[in-house]
Amino acid sequence: MYNFLQKFHSGWAYLALLILLVAVVNAILGFTSKKEFTAKDRKIALFALIGTHTQLLIGLILYFVSPLGKAAFGQMSNAELRLTSLEHPLINLIAIVLITIGWSKHKKLINSEAKFKTFAIFYGLGLLLILSRIPWNLWF
């Protein structure tokens, strides 16, 4: 089960990152070009939200069954174990909270420019945090 979850978590990450990147680029382009916020823009942001939340759920399950997750939590002197047991889950949780806040804030806004700006900021920060804590050596 661990091997399946680990491969699924890694594979889904490509999809989640791609959708999140598309949402950030779409928000930046929409903000800079002053275009109208449409249902297509909302769906792109929603798919990014769903993709990252799905990745979080898979990651939480993996965290508790993996020898690199909860089981290695006390070994902070080892940089690789610290990354997989503390930094990766914590920073990615913060990133997904930021993405969720961005989604929630956009619903209260009326102005298209403000919606795009909110997505660009919150989704962009979430993307940067996620990219900063990917265990690249385990990914390739």
Side-chain angles (χ1 to χ4, degrees):
M1 182 168 135
Y2 164 71
N3 287 332
F4 171 76
L5 281 174
Q6 196 269 336
K7 298 260 189 263
F8 188 55
H9 184 64
S10 294
W12 188 265
Y14 287 110
L15 181 62
L17 283 172
L18 178 65
I19 295 169
L20 186 57
L21 180 64
V22 167
V24 170
V25 168
N26 183 61
I28 292 170
L29 291 174
F31 178 72
T32 57
S33 67
K34 310 260 193 256
K35 74 174 202 168
E36 193 64 32
F37 190 84
T38 64
K40 178 192 76 125
D41 301 312
R42 188 186 66 77
K43 287 176 185 172
I44 291 171
L46 179 61
F47 288 143
L49 179 79
I50 292 169
T52 55
H53 278 84
T54 304
Q55 182 70 351
L56 173 67
L57 290 175
I58 299 164
L60 285 173
I61 295 167
L62 184 61
Y63 183 76
F64 290 102
V65 299
S66 170
L68 301 174
K70 184 178 175 235
F73 188 72
Q75 301 176 21
M76 295 297 116
S77 61
N78 183 326
E80 288 184 18
L81 289 177
R82 184 178 61 242
L83 175 65
T84 57
S85 68
L86 177 67
E87 294 171 0
H88 177 72
L90 180 63
I91 297 299
N92 287 339
L93 181 62
I94 292 168
I96 293 171
V97 166
L98 286 171
I99 291 166
T100 306
I101 290 170
W103 176 259
S104 296
K105 286 180 75 71
H106 108 276
K107 293 191 286 187
K108 298 174 185 147
L109 300 171
I110 299 168
N111 184 344
S112 291
E113 187 176 342
K115 288 184 181 208
F116 282 125
K117 183 178 179 183
T118 299
F119 281 130
I121 292 170
F122 285 95
Y123 279 45
L125 286 172
L127 178 62
L128 287 175
L129 286 175
I130 290 169
L131 290 174
S132 76
R133 290 295 136 215
I134 290 176
W136 296 105
N137 61 334
L138 297 175
W139 231 22
F140 296 109

